[in-house]
Amino acid sequence: MTNPQDHLLDWLRDAHAMEQQAITMLSALARRIENYPELRAKIEDHLAETKRQASQIESCIERLGGNTSVIKDLAATFIAMGQGLSGLFVEDEIIKGTMASYTFEHMEIAAYRVLIAAADAVGDLETSTVCARILAEEEAMAGWLAENIPVVTAKYLSREATGGVEAKR
Ligand code: MG
Ligand code: FE
């Protein structure tokens, strides 16, 4: 049997590992994108946001008395998600990278919804508030991507068809 407080702490550690993975993934994406400046700028903004999220989650873990030294070992949990990035080196890598980002944001949204419910269940108002703020950022990023997937796709297709500006990234 594990008490709710311990589950909350575990899930915060998972969220921290997830944000570390997001930092790796967003950095790689931002570095590779050349011909889609709006997308690159948005990813760079969200990368900065993601670094703040990781340190906010770390503060929650420490406040609950958790040991942050084991955080690194848990990063492996989310490595599978980062493998969506193996699409980076294919011909349509801008499309695969955008899809991987959109998918990742939704995994984050799910994780923060669980965390908010768990924090509320144990009466941890501070963690609930932090996670609600982060959730809003993930939803904003997911919403931006939803709106811009058609834009990026149309641009990719027309560039591919005309052979002008490099389409793949
Ligand atoms: Mg995040
Ligand atoms: Fe995110």
Side-chain angles (χ1 to χ4, degrees):
M1 233 170 62
T2 308
N3 69 41
Q5 183 89 14
D6 289 341
H7 279 301
L8 175 61
L9 197 49
D10 273 353
W11 293 337
L12 282 168
R13 287 199 188 98
D14 289 344
H16 189 270
M18 176 178 73
E19 296 301 351
Q20 299 288 97
Q21 189 61 33
I23 290 167
T24 303
M25 179 176 146
L26 294 169
S27 306
L29 264 176
R31 245 183 283 119
R32 302 251 334 145
I33 298 173
E34 285 175 4
N35 299 307
Y36 298 82
E38 295 86 1
L39 178 61
R40 192 188 53 216
K42 190 67 187 179
I43 285 171
E44 281 167 353
D45 285 352
H46 194 58
L47 174 59
E49 211 162 54
T50 300
K51 288 174 179 170
R52 290 194 294 272
Q53 295 171 352
S55 73
Q56 285 163 5
I57 293 301
E58 199 170 327
S59 300
C60 288
I61 293 169
E62 282 165 357
R63 197 167 34 76
L64 294 174
N67 184 355
T68 52
S69 68
V70 294
I71 275 170
K72 270 185 194 153
D73 306 325
L74 291 155
T77 315
F78 290 97
I79 282 182
M81 280 305 304
Q83 281 167 354
L85 281 185
S86 54
L88 268 179
F89 304 100
V90 297
E91 190 190 24
D92 58 346
E93 68 174 71
I94 194 71
I95 300 297
K96 296 300 191 288
T98 305
M99 287 172 69
S101 302
Y102 186 70
T103 305
F104 202 98
E105 293 310 323
H106 285 84
M107 183 182 65
E108 293 184 293
I109 287 168
Y112 286 110
R113 286 194 196 289
V114 169
L115 278 170
I116 291 164
D120 289 345
V122 303
D124 183 348
L125 183 64
E126 175 71 20
T127 297
S128 179
T129 305
V130 165
C131 291
R133 210 159 47 218
I134 295 175
L135 173 63
E137 293 173 348
E138 310 301 16
E139 286 180 322
M141 183 61 178
W144 189 92
L145 287 167
E147 262 174 48
N148 284 273
I149 281 175
V151 178
V152 171
T153 305
K155 233 178 232 179
Y156 172 80
L157 289 173
S158 84
R159 286 170 175 178
E160 264 285 290
T162 60
V165 180
E166 200 208 353
K168 76 178 283 197
R169 59 187 167 107

